[in-house]
Amino acid sequence: MPKNVMEQLIPFFQPKSVAVIGASRNPTKSGYVVLENFVKFGFKGRVYPINPEADEILGVKAYPSVKEVPDEIDLAVIVLSALAVPKVMLDCAEKHVKCAVIISGGFGEVGEEGTKREREVKEIIQKSGIRVIGPNCMGVVDTATKVNTMFLPAQHFSRPEKGNIGFISQSGAFGLTMIDYLAGEGIGISKFASYGNKIDVDESELLKYFSQDPETKVILMYIEAIDDGKKFIEVAKKVTKLKPVIGLKAGRTAAGSKAVISHTGALSGAFSIYKGAFSQAGIIPADTVQELVDIGKAFSYQPYAKGNRTAIITGGGGYGVLASDACETMGLQVASLGDTTIKNMRMSFPPHYVVINPVDLTGDASEGDYKTALALTLEDQNVDGVIMIILFQVPRLEETIIDAISETTHRLHDKPVIVSSIGGEHTKKMVRKMEARKIPVYPTPERAVKVMAALVEYGKYVSETTLSALK
């Protein structure tokens, strides 16, 4: 067994061989769906269904026990009742299986009997050295290797596209619905891990592993309880210097903390302590599910901001006022545009356009006007990031504006560009096409500003930690 923790976790995401223990011939069973994930959706390694009552499943030879598989097993996915898990784990130990995902529930989250089973499995893990994710979890997804241990039928679930968001969730239900939602929005992920009761692998180890994954640019976390807070902060401090981490903490109230105990059997702890820990570790807090997705998408598509001076470009003055209010409320500075920028705008635009910040192009603006305004503000040394409020309803804006904005944004890619746009079906179609070009779009100025504030917060953190390291 490799001594390095990161090497120990590799078989979860890059296994050469997988045994599905509890594989089923019944398409309505979890054991069928998990096996199907490996057999039919692009996984390149060897797959071994384990079922004592079947000769083959989905055209693949089945074995009565993992011990009878003729090859080494990197990863075992256990989809059986909790009562059967300790015996199966003993078989895995005898087989020298490297890693196991225990999907099964019925452990510490259900009371004394479940806790006893959990202790029994933990003893086997400690003696054998098998690394385990779970129990009571959805396990892992890797969009590069096509590993997928989730028991979700394809007709009910949007398979995640390849992207650069790493997602760690203590709750399997939260994780699966978020992945489904992200896929529906066209937002890709790199890796996902649901760790449930975490009798072995915990959030700190997964966070460290994701930080070293070249496919992952930003890490999202859903957390209910952290057992070893000191370890988590030490790991997170190192990770956030490399990649942004956005955390959503559940169990903030007395009612929520009580629900956490019945969900994963964990104690939640005071929310104020978590807020302090997040701040100390450089984790960006998300207060809602919406914020977790909003901020994660922005970091996936755009660079972080190197300062808080924000330019606002709008096609409607009212939205410029709302965005300005939101900037001041959230600690962003409405940038004072440079004299050269203002001069060039006055030379380029009709006299009724407002060329101070917020820049109001009015309802007469063409795609060329938006492109010029964006290029000039991005080139302005007084600007660290740009929020564009685009009204796709006005007559002069055609679909070609999407290419114009995308080309300008990515050509001058060291500053983030965030778009806000709201409307009906035409606007939604334009938004989808813009996001396909990695420009994040939000329906309200307030959400766009909140996201920019997160990009600024992380930029400030990176700058401060860099300066501290140089001292």
Side-chain angles (χ1 to χ4, degrees):
M1 187 69 68
K3 293 182 180 179
N4 184 289
V5 170
M6 295 302 97
E7 290 179 7
Q8 292 176 13
L9 300 191
I10 287 173
F12 284 114
F13 301 96
Q14 302 176 46
K16 295 176 182 176
S17 56
V18 176
V20 179
I21 305 176
S24 174
R25 290 170 291 190
N26 185 340
T28 66
K29 298 289 187 180
S30 299
Y32 180 95
V33 177
V34 172
L35 179 64
E36 186 180 41
N37 286 339
F38 287 97
V39 172
K40 291 189 175 182
F41 295 102
F43 176 66
K44 301 300 183 184
R46 302 181 301 277
V47 184
Y48 302 99
I50 308 300
N51 184 327
E53 298 178 0
D55 295 325
E56 70 171 45
I57 306 174
L58 287 169
V60 181
K61 178 177 170 55
Y63 294 84
S65 165
V66 70
K67 294 190 295 183
E68 297 188 38
V69 174
D71 299 319
E72 289 185 356
I73 299 297
D74 286 343
L75 175 64
V77 185
I78 301 173
V79 198
L80 292 169
S81 71
L83 292 171
V85 171
K87 169 63 170 63
V88 164
M89 283 303 299
L90 285 171
D91 290 346
C92 288
E94 189 174 335
K95 180 65 180 174
H96 301 294
V97 171
K98 295 174 185 175
C99 293
V101 171
I102 304 177
I103 304 293
S104 322
F107 290 88
E109 78 280 6
V110 298
E112 187 176 339
E113 280 300 313
T115 301
K116 183 180 177 181
R117 277 192 294 274
E118 204 165 275
R119 283 198 299 266
E120 192 176 349
V121 172
K122 200 164 188 176
E123 287 176 9
I124 297 167
I125 294 169
Q126 290 169 343
K127 289 178 181 177
S128 66
I130 301 172
R131 299 311 312 268
V132 170
I133 288 179
N136 185 32
C137 72
M138 281 287 177
V140 300
V141 172
D142 188 313
T143 54
T145 63
K146 306 300 182 183
V147 166
N148 183 348
T149 69
M150 297 198 294
F151 52 89
L152 306 170
Q155 63 268 32
H156 296 169
F157 177 73
S158 302
R159 302 187 71 81
E161 297 293 328
K162 189 174 181 182
N164 58 22
I165 295 176
F167 184 21
I168 301 169
S169 176
Q170 188 164 5
S171 165
F174 181 83
L176 75 89
T177 52
M178 287 301 296
I179 289 176
D180 192 26
Y181 174 75
L182 292 174
E185 293 293 301
I187 303 170
I189 67 168
S190 54
K191 288 177 172 57
F192 165 75
S194 151
Y195 55 93
N197 295 14
K198 55 177 175 179
I199 62 172
D200 179 31
V201 177
D202 62 10
E203 59 282 312
S204 297
E205 289 182 311
L206 289 167
L207 182 59
K208 185 176 180 181
Y209 186 86
F210 280 31
S211 75
Q212 297 181 14
D213 173 36
E215 305 288 338
T216 298
K217 180 184 176 186
V218 54
I219 302 168
L220 309 186
M221 299 189 74
Y222 169 87
I223 297 168
E224 292 181 356
I226 297 171
D227 299 326
D228 190 338
K230 183 179 179 182
K231 172 186 173 185
F232 178 75
I233 290 173
E234 287 176 355
V235 170
K237 276 183 175 180
K238 295 175 182 177
V239 173
T240 53
K241 292 174 184 177
L242 304 172
K243 297 175 183 181
V245 179
I246 299 97
L248 174 61
K249 171 67 177 73
R252 301 177 177 215
T253 64
S257 297
K258 186 177 179 181
V260 166
I261 296 172
S262 62
H263 181 205
T264 58
L267 296 174
S268 178
F271 178 55
S272 59
I273 296 174
Y274 281 89
K275 282 184 69 176
F278 278 16
S279 176
Q280 187 179 346
I283 295 174
I284 300 165
D287 290 327
T288 64
V289 174
Q290 176 186 290
E291 280 188 13
L292 185 70
V293 176
D294 282 358
I295 297 171
K297 178 172 68 175
F299 276 106
S300 173
Y301 292 169
Q302 293 290 304
Y304 60 82
K306 296 177 177 64
N308 74 341
R309 300 168 302 174
T310 305
I312 301 165
I313 301 170
T314 179
Y319 277 113
V321 175
L322 289 171
S324 298
D325 283 343
C327 282
E328 185 166 329
T329 300
M330 297 182 201
L332 300 183
Q333 178 185 341
V334 178
S336 297
L337 300 179
D339 292 340
T340 301
T341 302
I342 293 173
K343 178 183 176 182
N344 287 336
M345 283 192 183
R346 283 181 174 150
M347 291 173 60
S348 302
F349 299 147
H352 65 284
Y353 285 14
V354 178
V355 296
I356 58 172
N357 197 16
V359 176
D360 183 5
L361 304 179
T362 77
D364 294 334
S366 66
E367 75 171 60
D369 295 336
Y370 274 99
K371 184 175 181 179
T372 298
L374 178 59
L376 289 173
T377 51
L378 284 173
E379 291 165 359
D380 193 321
Q381 296 302 307
N382 296 334
V383 172
D384 299 307
V386 179
I387 294 174
M388 302 188 73
I389 303 168
I390 302 176
L391 281 62
F392 286 114
Q393 295 88 347
V394 299
R396 294 188 69 192
L397 287 189
E398 300 294 339
E399 191 170 314
T400 47
I401 188 178
I402 296 170
D403 289 329
I405 298 300
S406 175
E407 289 167 8
T408 306
T409 299
H410 296 304
R411 179 168 53 85
L412 302 161
H413 56 80
D414 61 331
K415 297 179 182 180
V417 175
I418 306 297
V419 172
S420 174
S421 191
I422 190 169
E425 288 307 313
H426 173 68
T427 295
K428 290 176 183 176
K429 181 181 77 171
M430 299 289 273
V431 165
R432 284 193 293 271
K433 291 186 175 184
M434 185 163 282
E435 292 211 321
R437 290 163 174 78
K438 307 305 180 188
I439 308 292
V441 186
Y442 305 92
T444 67
E446 293 81 6
R447 281 171 63 179
V449 171
K450 180 73 176 182
V451 163
M452 184 64 79
L455 296 173
V456 168
E457 180 183 344
Y458 184 68
K460 181 181 178 184
Y461 174 77
V462 169
S463 176
E464 289 174 349
T465 53
T466 302
L467 287 173
S468 177
L470 293 174
K471 289 180 180 178

